[in-house]
Amino acid sequence: MAVARLLSLVCVAAVLCPPSVVSQTCKEGDKCSEGGGGKLLIKGGIVVNEDVEMISDILIDNGHIQLIATEIAADSETRVVDARGKYVMPGGIDPHTHLEMPFMGEVACDTFATGHQAALAGGTTMHIDFALPVDGSLVKGWEEWRKKAAKANMDYGFHMAVTAWNDKVAEEMEYLAKNKGVNSYKFFMAYKGALMVTDEQLVEGFRHCKKIGALAQVHAENGDAVAAGQKYIAEELQILGPEGHALSRPAILEVEATERAINLAAWVNTPLYVVHVMSKGAMEAVARARQAGYRIIGEPTAAGLTLDESKMWDPDFKTAAAHVMSPPIRKHDVDGIALQNALKNRVLSLVATDHAVFNSTQKAKGKHDFRVLPNGVNGLEERIPVLWTTMVNTGKITPMDFVRITSTEAARIFNVYPQKGVIREGSDADLYVLDPTVEYTISPQTHHSALDTNVFEGIKCRGKVVTTISRGDIVWDNNQLFTKDGRGQYIETKPFSPYLFGGLEQEEALKRAEMNAPVKRNLDKIYA
C-alpha cells in the first residue's frame, strides 16, 4: 500500500499525469447514456476495495467489469479514461434518502432525476430510498414510489416505512420481501400522531422482520417526550424559531429511544439498524450493544459527522431553517467528533445522508413556528467529498476504510454484494475516479440538486470526483453530466442477508435449549 501511495504522489507531481482524459467522451443522447454502451478502459488508477489498494487497469464491457490487470491494451473501439495518480473506487451507495417524499405538508424538491444527477456528480451510483404507505397499504406505497422512480438516472432500491400494525401490514411486508425485493422496514419512534408506532407495534414488527428475513430499522427518538418538549418550548417559553427545534428534541431523547429499540431487538433476537445516529450518547448505546454481541448497525450521516447545531441559532432564518433535520444536528466538538471516532473504530458501520430536501420557500412555512418547518437536509452529492476531506485527509481512516463505509458495507447489509460495492470481475461497472489533489468549495450555485441552499456551503474539499461510471456508462466527467431520465434500474434487495442473518438459527437453537422448559410436572398427583 505504501508503494501505491508513493507512486501516486510521484505521478501527481509529474507532468506525466494530465487531468482526466476520456477518449470519445459521452455527450447528451449518445449511446453511452443507454447502459452498457461499448467498451471502456480505466488506465493506471489506484484501485481501492475495502481490503486492497493497487495500481491496475480495469476493462468494462456490457455494463460489467470484465478484467482487472496490471496492463490492459486498448483497441480502437475502446474508450479510455486516464486515471493515473487518481483513486478508482466502487460507486457510492447511499442507504438513506427521501426523494419526492411528501412530508409536513410539502414534497421534497429533489426528484429521482435531480437527486440522481446530484448523486452521480458526487460519485454515488446507487441509493436506497424510503417508500411510505399509501392509503395504509405498503404495496400501494411501493407501486407509487416505482412510478416516481420512472425518471431514475441511476440504480436504486427501496426500504418501506411501517407506520401502523395489523394483519394486512404483516402480509404485505412478507409479500414485498418475497416478490419485490424489499428486505428492510423502518419503524418511527417519533412523529407522534403521524408516523410513530407504539412499543407493542415495534415488538410485533421486529418479530415479523425476523420471520421474513428482513432488517428492522428505527428512527430513534422518544416521540411522546418530543411532543411534550415542542409544546413546552413553543407555548411556554415562546421560542418559535429553528433553534426551538433543537431545544425540543435534545440528545437524551434520542439516547433513550436508541437504548429501548436495541433492548427490544435484542429480546426478539433480530438484527436492528439504527438510522441517523446523531449524538454521542446514541453512539455509545450502539457500542455497548455491539460489545454485548447484539446484531446492531449504527448509521451516522454526513451532516451529523461534520456540522454543528449552532447554525440553527443563525440570525438569518433561511440559513437556520436549512439546517433543521430530525434528530437534530448536535454539537460538533462533542457529538460530531465522537461519531467520527466511532466510525474510525468500526463502532458505527457506514455513512448515509438522510437526503430529504425542502427549498427555502418550503422551509419558510415554519417561519413563525418551528413545529411546522419541514425537516431535512441535503448530502447526496456532498457525502463522498466531504467524508474524504474530513476522514481520509486527516488520517482517521484509510482509502480502504472509506470504500467500506461509503459502499461495501451497504452492499453487504442490504444483500446486493458483490453485484455492487466492489471492483471485481463480473460486478456491475459502478465506480468513480477521485482526484485527491483537486481543491474546491461547496456552493449551492454549483451543486446539482434542485435545492437552493446547501448545509455544506463554504466547506473546502480536497479530493474531487472527476469521473463517475454507472453500469459501464460515463455519466459524469469534466464537470459535466452525461445521463438521462429512465436509465436507472430497480435493484431488488433479497431477504435473509447472510451478513445479518448468518448464524441466527444456531443462536436460536442454543437459546431454546438453555430455557430448560417446559418442565414436566405431574399435576394430577399433586391435586389428587
Side-chain angles (χ1 to χ4, degrees):
M1 297 311 101
V3 174
R5 289 199 182 94
L6 179 60
L7 288 173
S8 171
L9 292 172
V10 171
C11 184
V12 167
V15 294
L16 294 175
C17 286
S20 176
V21 176
V22 180
S23 302
Q24 303 175 28
T25 302
C26 302
K27 294 183 173 58
E28 200 77 43
D30 281 355
K31 183 181 178 181
C32 59
S33 66
E34 298 291 340
K39 290 183 180 180
L40 176 65
L41 180 61
I42 303 173
K43 292 287 293 181
I46 306 167
V47 178
V48 186
N49 280 316
E50 66 154 354
D51 59 347
V52 68
E53 181 179 319
M54 58 187 178
I55 296 177
S56 294
D57 293 352
I58 303 171
L59 180 64
I60 294 167
D61 194 14
N62 292 319
H64 294 86
I65 297 170
Q66 298 295 327
L67 180 64
I68 303 172
T70 304
E71 184 69 33
I72 302 173
D75 59 32
S76 60
E77 300 299 319
T78 301
R79 292 168 292 159
V80 178
V81 175
D82 186 343
R84 288 175 294 171
K86 304 176 183 68
Y87 289 95
V88 183
M89 293 180 277
I93 301 174
D94 189 339
H96 186 162
T97 63
H98 301 276
L99 299 181
E100 298 185 49
M101 178 185 68
F103 187 56
M104 299 182 74
E106 299 290 336
V107 177
C109 65
D110 261 338
T111 66
F112 278 79
T114 61
H116 285 187
Q117 289 160 14
L120 292 169
T124 289
T125 55
M126 180 183 170
H127 72 119
I128 310 178
D129 205 69
F130 283 94
L132 300 177
V134 172
D135 298 329
S137 169
L138 275 64
V139 171
K140 287 184 179 178
W142 181 88
E143 292 170 346
E144 179 64 24
W145 255 254
R146 285 282 276 150
K147 291 176 184 175
K148 295 174 188 281
K151 302 182 291 293
N153 283 221
M154 69 180 194
D155 293 352
Y156 64 95
F158 289 142
H159 315 282
M160 284 298 310
V162 178
T163 59
W165 191 257
N166 52 52
D167 290 344
K168 179 184 177 183
V169 169
E171 291 168 3
E172 291 192 327
M173 286 174 63
E174 187 166 9
Y175 169 79
L176 290 172
K178 287 182 176 179
N179 301 290
K180 300 298 181 182
V182 179
N183 72 1
S184 48
Y185 295 85
K186 180 179 180 182
F187 300 84
F188 289 87
M189 302 171 76
Y191 301 120
K192 186 176 182 179
L195 302 173
M196 179 176 155
V197 297
T198 66
D199 282 359
E200 181 181 4
Q201 293 170 329
L202 195 60
V203 169
E204 291 298 325
F206 285 179
R207 286 185 183 277
H208 197 59
C209 282
K210 180 180 179 180
K211 174 185 174 183
I212 66 175
L215 176 60
Q217 299 180 298
V218 288
H219 173 132
E221 289 181 289
N222 187 314
D224 289 319
V226 167
Q230 288 178 324
K231 184 175 181 180
Y232 171 70
I233 294 295
E235 297 179 16
E236 292 192 38
L237 299 186
Q238 290 294 298
I239 299 172
L240 297 170
E243 68 277 12
H245 176 78
L247 294 169
S248 68
R249 47 208 316 148
I252 194 169
L253 302 186
E254 181 190 355
V255 176
E256 186 280 329
T258 302
E259 292 176 336
R260 179 160 38 104
I262 287 172
N263 288 334
L264 292 176
W267 179 61
V268 172
N269 194 25
T270 195
L272 178 68
Y273 185 113
V274 183
V275 303
H276 46 43
V277 175
M278 300 295 285
S279 65
K280 179 182 178 183
M283 175 274 292
E284 289 172 340
V286 171
R288 288 191 295 270
R290 289 172 67 87
Q291 187 175 26
Y294 302 157
R295 298 169 185 250
I296 306 297
I297 299 159
E299 169 211 272
T301 69
L305 288 161
T306 60
L307 304 180
D308 188 80
E309 67 177 9
S310 59
K311 286 291 186 178
M312 284 179 282
W313 274 260
D314 195 288
D316 176 60
F317 174 83
K318 182 177 176 180
T319 298
H323 287 77
V324 168
M325 66 175 293
S326 293
I329 296 165
R330 310 294 186 187
K331 293 180 173 63
H332 180 68
D333 289 346
V334 176
D335 302 282
I337 296 300
L339 296 178
Q340 289 181 17
N341 290 333
L343 192 62
K344 171 185 177 180
N345 294 317
R346 301 196 180 203
V347 171
L348 299 176
S349 300
L350 72 172
V351 181
T353 62
D354 193 10
H355 184 98
V357 296
F358 299 91
N359 62 36
S360 55
T361 300
Q362 292 174 306
K363 291 268 190 176
K365 179 181 178 181
K367 63 184 178 182
H368 298 303
D369 190 339
F370 70 86
R371 291 173 293 181
V372 295
L373 197 162
N375 296 190
V377 302
N378 61 290
L380 261 172
E381 185 170 353
E382 297 79 16
R383 182 179 67 127
I384 284 173
V386 166
L387 285 175
W388 183 271
T389 298
T390 303
M391 300 296 292
V392 180
N393 287 345
T394 59
K396 287 193 171 184
I397 63 174
T398 67
M400 290 180 287
D401 291 326
F402 184 79
V403 166
R404 174 177 52 82
I405 66 174
T406 58
S407 183
T408 309
E409 192 74 1
R412 287 198 172 119
I413 289 169
F414 297 104
N415 210 10
V416 296
Y417 183 92
Q419 178 186 359
K420 306 287 187 182
V422 63
I423 297 176
R424 177 188 291 184
E425 292 174 7
S427 296
D428 286 357
D430 291 352
L431 40 85
Y432 62 93
V433 180
L434 183 142
D435 189 331
T437 69
V438 175
E439 298 182 358
Y440 72 105
T441 303
I442 294 174
S443 168
Q445 280 69 51
T446 54
H447 72 202
H448 296 82
S449 166
L451 187 62
D452 61 344
T453 59
N454 191 314
V455 293
F456 302 98
E457 182 175 11
I459 291 180
K460 295 180 179 179
C461 294
R462 180 164 57 85
K464 180 178 174 59
V465 175
V466 293
T467 304
T468 303
I469 296 162
S470 168
R471 284 188 293 106
D473 297 336
I474 297 174
V475 291
W476 167 256
D477 185 68
N478 195 28
N479 293 318
Q480 294 183 68
L481 284 162
F482 305 102
T483 183
K484 70 175 185 178
D485 295 355
R487 67 172 299 278
Q489 294 183 1
Y490 175 61
I491 304 298
E492 293 191 2
T493 57
K494 299 293 186 181
F496 292 102
S497 167
Y499 193 61
L500 302 175
F501 286 86
L504 188 60
E505 187 176 341
Q506 292 91 328
E507 276 188 6
E508 286 290 292
L510 286 172
K511 287 188 176 184
R512 186 71 182 87
E514 290 169 357
M515 290 180 181
N516 295 317
V519 176
K520 293 182 179 180
R521 297 181 176 90
N522 190 342
L523 300 180
D524 292 336
K525 183 177 180 179
I526 294 174
Y527 295 103

